[in-house]
Amino acid sequence: MLARVLSMLPSPRLYDIMISRANAVVSQCSLNDLNTLSFAIAKWVRSDPSYRHNTPSKYVRLLQNLNRCGQERLRTADRLDLVLEELKYMSGEWFEEMLVEETMATLQRMIDQINWTNMTELALFLTKINHLCPPLMDRIASVAIKDIDKLHYTATYATLLPFSTLNYDTPQADELYDVCIRHVTPRLSSFDPHLLVLMAYSLAVADCFPEVIIKEIFSIDFLGRLDSQLETIPDGLNLRTRQRLMELNRACVSPVS
């Protein structure tokens, strides 16, 4: 946290003692901590005029230490739930360039630990980083099919999201979509309206148009509830929901036209 705050200050350069202290703690950091530190280093590099004249620089050495600690943490991890917790907020260039491949290898090494309690978290992570890994996707599909009754009905959206977002047609696709649709159908009236729209759009991307869900969404009662909810949610989510509703409407009527 101190490194993050220091990176926001308008200091023209970083004193060596700060780099030394950062180097001293990286081996104790979680993946999320390392990711946060990578953002701070990037800011220090951009604001330090001596960087381009100082090669190899203190920043390069710190980044190398960061890379080594991140990769070592993934290689020695043995509990999937802990790894997913540390990966929850990972993003940015450092993660994408240095840790994605090692992360995929780690997750596949722990593939037998994927179950109905952590499957949704994994699906959200794969969606967020936009990385297709067929073995992990197939495992998610298998677990969802087997344990769909153990999932909260709203978790079906997160479960299906990577398949539509990453355009992956798992060998179990038909069965996966069928069990998910059957799981949510009796509970449609309990869904947050915007979430049902987003889920229906994900199904449409996969060329799946369950009649009962489509009729529910385009009913007068549902659209009224949706309008009321859109007034209370953040602007970004509001706009995305409206766009998805329009796209869903076009997708539903295009086969007829």
Side-chain angles (χ1 to χ4, degrees):
M1 289 182 67
L2 178 59
R4 184 175 183 177
V5 171
L6 288 172
S7 72
M8 299 176 182
L9 298 178
S11 174
R13 61 179 299 171
L14 193 67
Y15 293 106
D16 289 343
I17 185 63
M18 299 179 189
I19 291 288
S20 176
R21 291 295 178 92
N23 262 312
V25 302
V26 292
S27 62
Q28 305 170 45
C29 291
S30 68
L31 293 171
N32 189 45
D33 294 334
L34 294 173
N35 197 55
T36 300
L37 190 54
S38 75
F39 285 114
I41 296 171
K43 288 185 178 181
W44 288 336
V45 168
R46 288 194 296 269
S47 63
D48 190 340
S50 70
Y51 171 70
R52 54 184 177 274
H53 305 297
N54 185 18
T55 305
S57 78
K58 54 197 173 189
Y59 303 113
V60 171
R61 290 191 292 271
L62 179 54
L63 278 171
Q64 289 172 338
N65 195 14
L66 215 67
N67 298 343
R68 179 185 59 79
C69 289
Q71 291 169 357
E72 181 66 17
R73 193 166 185 86
L74 286 166
R75 289 174 189 147
T76 57
D78 58 4
R79 293 183 58 187
L80 178 60
D81 289 344
L82 295 181
V83 172
L84 289 174
E85 183 63 30
E86 292 193 20
L87 291 172
K88 188 178 293 186
Y89 303 107
M90 297 291 280
S91 63
E93 292 182 4
W94 177 73
F95 173 70
E96 293 171 2
E97 294 176 3
M98 299 299 171
L99 290 189
V100 166
E101 294 305 322
E102 192 68 46
T103 298
M104 290 302 107
T106 298
L107 294 175
Q108 290 183 76
R109 174 166 56 83
M110 300 178 178
I111 200 166
D112 290 340
Q113 296 184 40
I114 299 173
N115 55 48
W116 69 272
T117 64
N118 55 35
M119 173 193 69
T120 302
E121 196 70 44
L122 176 59
L124 287 171
F125 173 70
L126 294 176
T127 302
K128 183 182 74 170
I129 66 171
N130 198 36
H131 189 94
L132 177 60
C133 182
L136 293 176
M137 301 282 281
D138 291 342
R139 174 69 177 185
I140 290 172
S142 296
V143 172
I145 291 168
K146 176 177 177 290
D147 291 324
I148 191 66
D149 291 335
K150 297 178 182 178
L151 289 180
H152 192 273
Y153 62 91
T154 57
T156 52
Y157 169 60
T159 301
L160 294 174
L161 191 57
F163 294 93
S164 59
T165 302
L166 300 173
N167 194 29
Y168 179 61
D169 193 14
T170 176
Q172 306 168 84
D174 290 343
E175 188 175 4
L176 173 65
Y177 288 114
D178 182 60
V179 298
C180 286
I181 291 167
R182 283 191 281 108
H183 187 54
V184 303
T185 296
R187 304 170 175 88
L188 294 182
S189 61
S190 301
F191 265 85
D192 279 348
H194 83 279
L195 185 60
L196 188 58
V197 169
L198 296 177
M199 188 180 73
Y201 174 80
S202 293
L203 290 168
V205 170
D207 201 26
C208 183
F209 299 88
E211 183 178 357
V212 64
I213 294 179
I214 299 301
K215 283 185 174 181
E216 172 69 18
I217 288 176
F218 290 106
S219 68
I220 299 299
D221 177 66
F222 178 88
L223 293 174
R225 290 192 289 118
L226 177 62
D227 278 341
S228 297
Q229 188 191 36
L230 290 178
E231 295 177 358
T232 66
I233 63 178
D235 290 343
L237 182 57
N238 183 319
L239 178 60
R240 184 158 65 99
T241 302
R242 292 182 184 276
Q243 290 175 332
R244 294 295 184 255
L245 181 62
M246 289 188 294
E247 292 164 354
L248 178 62
N249 182 53
R250 287 196 294 267
C252 290
V253 302
S254 58
V256 177
S257 59

